[in-house]
């Protein structure tokens, strides 16, 4: 493998130097310098050159000319390209065919796409573009890279089957971690060998979690580590070439405003040479500006040439991360800058990165002050969309920490926005967005805070805040924020339910009754409490279908699992019948034992189905989720062993004379059942 830039440097000193003459000398630090093998033994470069020429003449060479794009001077690049063309014509016949079939000398030349067309190779060369790495390529790279890393750290005696197994195990963990990055939205970072190498370095150097290496949990920390590794690549180049070494922070002071400028002004993520130079001059001397531009032109790094006189970041992710850093550079202007960019979809990712960095850099008190100030800052669109709230919820996975008080304020503002029913009716997509945001907020470690906010809203007795009560009940069900305290609060405000909101309190209580009946409150004197504590009374109630019909109509308690269990039993019976049909077509002697077993299973399931249909109650006392002012009337009839029909006269009396509308409604429902 020969670096094209090394040949160009040697040719500058010796303009008549041919590529074939350079082979062998390319292994030295300079033309005609001493060459040493891996054990430090000196080798004469002229002798090496003769060896390579002999191999070329016998058609036994695969020559890789690496980095044609590294030649910055257009005139020099043109000369080198013509020399490579000449070398190919001399060393490789026109009728070579496919190298894998024909054999012979082969030449592979690599170049970035940037600027290549200004001095392309002749048409005799086949041109191929390397595609982004797919899953298969990434997995192969991880296997080979990890094995090489493990092998180089051991002596030949230490490299054994056990050491190779350890390398394979760590490669597997790396592949799993990269796959997880895709689920987190950072998987496209693994698109080329350089970026996968950086990911592998971060992975190996990362904190040990659950006994194995891993990536940082937050994307912002992953990108920060990647950026610093790429900056270190530039610094290593400066040391190697004896140039001035730029410090990490010095480079970041240049790249942060540059990323913000590109993100704001270019949809394709590039900056021209003049704009780049102006930004560089704000931070560097004239000499340093020239060196920095040369590094960018010649090295594939964090910032790279995208065309003649045009530059861009290696990956959009790095541009977004650094633009996010710019948003929070001036602490006193953070809220202003974030709100200014909120309406631009293009700035969404940088804003998320900015919030992630803030959560890592600030202590909890300072972070709380800043985020609360953002939440309370006047937003001209807040009456339509709670943009700041939605942004903070979207940023939760990126944030290292977020104070409880901020979560509480976010939950309250989200609830307040959801209570604006007339707005949501106009914008159904906004309603869905608010619901999804609330589900995300209520997950995991923030559940208790969200539950407290919802409970507080449900227990607010002010009639003016009834919309907030109904909104809270709706969100309780959507986010499944079910606790004993929430169930009690819902039961206490059941009479405030609303048809306009499609009965959210009743729906939430029914959902709790169906899935978590143990959470339902037992009020003293309620039908639920009396039946649960008096087995004989419960037996009387369940024995008469009319009582259970009254129970379902007025108190809830419908056991929806019965229908599900009946369906499951029918499906199982059908499955067994199908297996029996297949077995009977086979050799009976061999299948006899299986047929007998299946016959027994079918008999058991038939009995289960019959029992469910005949004796199972669709009404379950534990699932009663409300009470009624008619309860004393019903209990009196039950205790005296009266039939439900005996209640009809008293119910008609309630309908005629009762002033309480809820009691009157329950009486009419009971009469309808009877």
């Amino acid at each position: 493998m020969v670096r094209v830039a090394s040949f160009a440097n040697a040719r500058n000193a010796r303009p008549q130097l041919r590529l074939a003459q350079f082979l062998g000398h390319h292994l030295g630090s300079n033309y005609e310098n001493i060459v040493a093998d891996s054990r430090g033994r000196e080798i004469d470069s002229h002798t090496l050159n003769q060896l390579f020429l002999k191999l070329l003449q016998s058609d036994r060479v695969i020559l890789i000319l690496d980095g044609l794009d590294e030649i910055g001077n257009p005139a020099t690049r043109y000369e080198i390209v013509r020399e490579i063309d000449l070398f190919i014509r001399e060393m490789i016949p026109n009728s070579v065919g496919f190298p894998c079939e024909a054999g012979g000398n082969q030449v592979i030349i690599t170049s970035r796409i940037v600027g290549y067309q200004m001095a392309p190779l002749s048409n005799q060369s086949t041109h191929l573009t390397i595609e982004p790495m797919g899953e298969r390529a990434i997995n192969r790279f991880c296997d080979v890279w990890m094995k090489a890393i493990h092998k180089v750290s051991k002596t030949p005696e230490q490299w054994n089957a056990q050491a190779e197994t350890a390398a394979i195990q760590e490669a597997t963990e790396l592949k799993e971690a990269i796959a997880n990055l895709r689920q987190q939205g950072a998987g496209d970072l693994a698109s080329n060998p350089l970026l996968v190498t950086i990911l592998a370095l971060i992975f190996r150097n990362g904190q040990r979690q659950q006994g194995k290496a891993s990536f940082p949990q937050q994307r912002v920390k992953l990108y920060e580590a990647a950026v610093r590794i790429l900056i270190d690549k530039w610094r290593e180049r400066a040391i190697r070439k004896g140039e001035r070494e730029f410090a990490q922070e010095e480079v970041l002071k240049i790249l942060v405003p540059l990323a913000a400028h590109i993100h704001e002004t270019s949809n394709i993520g590039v900056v021209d040479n003049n704009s780049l130079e102006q930004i560089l001059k704000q931070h560097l001397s004239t000499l340093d500006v020239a060196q920095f531009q040369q590094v960018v032109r010649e090295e594939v790094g964090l910032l790279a040439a995208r065309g003649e006189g045009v530059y861009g970041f290696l990956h959009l992710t790095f541009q977004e991360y650094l633009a996010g850093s710019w948003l929070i550079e001036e602490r006193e202007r953070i809220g202003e800058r974030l709100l200014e960019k909120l309406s631009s979809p293009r700035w969404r990712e940088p804003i998320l990165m900015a919030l992630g960095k803030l959560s890592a850099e600030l202590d909890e008190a300072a972070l709380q002050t800043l985020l609360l100030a953002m939440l309370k800052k006047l937003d001209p669109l807040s009456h339509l969309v709670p943009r700041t709230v939605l942004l903070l919820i979207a940023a939760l996975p990126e944030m290292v920490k977020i104070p409880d008080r901020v979560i509480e304020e976010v939950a309250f503002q989200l609830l307040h926005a959801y209570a604006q029913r007339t707005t949501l009716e106009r914008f159904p997509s906004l309603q869905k967005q608010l619901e999804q945001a609330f589900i995300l907020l209520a997950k995991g470690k923030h559940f208790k805070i969200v539950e407290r906010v919802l409970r507080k809203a449900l227990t607010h007795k002010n009639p003016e805040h009834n919309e907030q009560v109904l909104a809270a009940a709706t969100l309780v069900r959507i986010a499944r924020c079910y606790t004993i305290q929430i169930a009690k609060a819902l039961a206490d405000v059941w009479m405030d339910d609303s048809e306009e909101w499609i009965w959210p309190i009743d729906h939430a209580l029914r959902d709790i009754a169906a899935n978590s009946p143990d959470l339902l409150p037992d009020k003293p004197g309620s039908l639920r409490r009396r039946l649960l504590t008096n087995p004989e009374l419960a037996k009387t109630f369940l024995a008469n279908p009319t009582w259970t019909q009254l129970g379902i109509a007025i108190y809830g308690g419908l056991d929806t699992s019965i229908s599900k269990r009946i369906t499951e039993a029918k499906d199982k019976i059908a499955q067994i019948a199908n297996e029996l049909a297949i077995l009977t077509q086979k050799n009976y002697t061999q299948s006899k034992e299986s047929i007998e077993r299946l016959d027994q299973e079918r008999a058991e399931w038939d009995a289960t189905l019959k029992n469910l249909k005949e004796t199972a109650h669709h009404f379950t006392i534990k699932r009663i989720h409300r009470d009624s002012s008619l309860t004393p009337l019903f209990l009196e009839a039950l205790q005296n062993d009266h039939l439900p029909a005996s209640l009809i006269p008293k119910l008609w009396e309630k309908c005629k004379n009762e002033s309480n509308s809820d009691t009157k409604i329950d009486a009419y429902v009971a009469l309808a059942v009877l």
Side-chain angles (χ1 to χ4, degrees), residues 418 430-440 475 478:
Y418 195 77
L430 174 60
Q431 178 179 345
K432 195 70 178 173
Q433 189 178 4
L434 295 178
E435 290 171 354
Q436 291 299 323
F438 207 89
I439 291 169
L440 181 63
L475 291 171
I478 289 170

Side-chain angles (χ1 to χ4, degrees), residues 135 139 174-184 187 215:
E135 184 178 355
N139 289 344
L174 174 58
K175 289 183 281 190
E176 290 173 357
I178 291 175
N180 289 336
L181 283 183
R182 293 194 196 100
Q183 296 176 358
Q184 298 169 21
F215 293 121

Side-chain angles (χ1 to χ4, degrees), residues 245-309:
E245 183 185 350
F246 295 107
Q248 281 266 2
E249 296 308 316
E250 194 176 8
V251 176
L252 286 172
K253 281 184 180 178
I254 298 166
L255 296 182
V256 165
L258 176 62
H261 172 81
I262 294 175
H263 207 76
E264 184 67 34
T265 60
S266 173
N267 290 330
I268 58 173
V270 295
V271 62
D272 61 41
N273 196 55
N274 290 336
S275 299
L276 174 63
E277 195 170 322
Q278 287 175 14
I279 293 171
L280 293 177
K281 283 178 178 177
Q282 295 173 18
H283 303 276
L284 300 174
S285 66
T286 304
L287 187 63
D288 287 342
V289 167
Q291 182 187 323
F292 194 92
Q293 287 177 301
Q294 184 179 355
V295 170
V296 172
R297 279 195 299 268
E298 296 180 1
E299 288 284 330
V300 177
L302 190 52
L303 189 70
R306 292 276 190 85
E308 203 61 38

Side-chain angles (χ1 to χ4, degrees), residues 332-462:
E332 66 280 359
R333 292 191 59 202
I334 290 174
E336 178 188 334
R337 278 187 172 178
L338 292 179
L339 281 175
E340 182 185 302
K341 304 297 183 187
L342 266 180
S343 57
S344 172
R346 183 169 171 75
W347 277 90
R348 178 178 171 80
E349 282 298 316
I351 291 173
L352 296 181
M353 295 294 102
L355 291 171
K357 278 182 70 68
L358 279 175
S359 72
E361 294 173 3
L362 297 181
D363 61 58
E364 189 153 328
L367 183 63
Q368 176 174 304
T369 302
L370 177 66
L371 294 179
L372 288 177
M374 280 180 57
L375 286 166
K376 291 173 182 177
K377 193 175 181 66
L378 183 64
D379 179 4
L381 293 177
S382 61
H383 64 290
L384 289 176
V385 186
R387 297 190 298 173
T388 309
V389 170
L390 292 173
L391 180 72
L392 281 175
I393 293 173
L396 287 177
E398 315 295 345
M399 300 181 80
V400 177
K401 60 181 178 292
I402 183 163
D404 290 353
R405 177 67 189 88
V406 174
I407 293 294
E408 187 176 3
E409 182 63 26
V410 166
F412 173 75
Q413 290 196 20
L414 195 59
L415 173 61
H416 178 75
Y418 195 77
Q420 313 307 310
R421 192 171 56 84
T422 52
T423 301
L424 298 188
E425 285 174 349
R426 290 169 57 200
F427 305 107
S429 60
L430 174 60
Q431 178 179 345
K432 195 70 178 173
Q433 189 178 4
L434 295 178
E435 290 171 354
Q436 291 299 323
F438 207 89
I439 291 169
L440 181 63
L441 185 65
K443 280 183 179 177
K445 60 184 179 180
H446 304 308
F447 177 86
K448 288 184 178 180
I449 303 170
V450 174
E451 188 267 354
R452 190 167 65 240
V453 171
L454 289 171
R455 186 158 30 97
K456 187 177 179 181
L458 288 170
T459 54
H460 207 296
K461 299 298 183 183
N462 191 335

Side-chain angles (χ1 to χ4, degrees), residues 82-141:
R82 297 290 74 79
E83 174 58 28
I84 292 172
D85 275 336
L86 184 60
F87 176 86
I88 291 171
R89 281 198 297 271
E90 291 175 350
M91 296 298 173
I92 299 178
N94 289 331
S95 58
V96 69
F98 291 106
C100 60
E101 297 171 354
N105 295 330
Q106 298 167 34
V107 180
I108 300 170
I109 305 111
T110 71
S111 172
R112 283 183 293 173
I113 296 172
V114 174
Y116 172 75
Q117 293 302 331
M118 298 192 70
L121 292 160
S122 65
N123 290 332
Q124 66 177 325
S125 301
T126 301
H127 288 68
L128 303 169
T129 302
I130 298 177
E131 65 182 5
M133 294 177 76
E135 184 178 355
R136 185 178 176 185
I138 292 169
N139 289 344
R140 170 67 176 158
F141 183 94

Side-chain angles (χ1 to χ4, degrees), residues 637-657:
L638 279 167
Q639 288 166 342
N640 294 318
D641 205 19
H642 292 164
L643 293 174
S646 67
L647 297 170
I648 292 175
K650 292 181 181 179
L651 290 171
W652 274 120
E653 189 178 335
K654 292 276 186 187
C655 292
K656 292 173 183 177
N657 303 322

